[in-house]
Amino acid sequence: MLTAGALPAYSTPPPSLQAAYQAEPDLARFHLELKDYLELALTATLLGALPRS
């Protein structure tokens, strides 16, 4: 719940960053939608919790 609540701040870039994305289209590949951020965060959390063999 904490992760899902914190992610909207990261998935909604400020106007200055949106302007940078428009000026440099290559930077836009670093912007992910909320669903993508949440998927990455949960995957990293779950994989980190798996025992290592």
Side-chain angles (χ1 to χ4, degrees), residues 17-37:
L17 190 53
Q18 289 177 350
Y21 288 157
Q22 290 177 353
E24 288 290 330
D26 289 339
L27 292 176
R29 67 185 171 109
F30 296 113
H31 175 66
L32 298 175
E33 296 299 321
L34 178 61
K35 177 188 170 288
D36 298 327
Y37 273 114

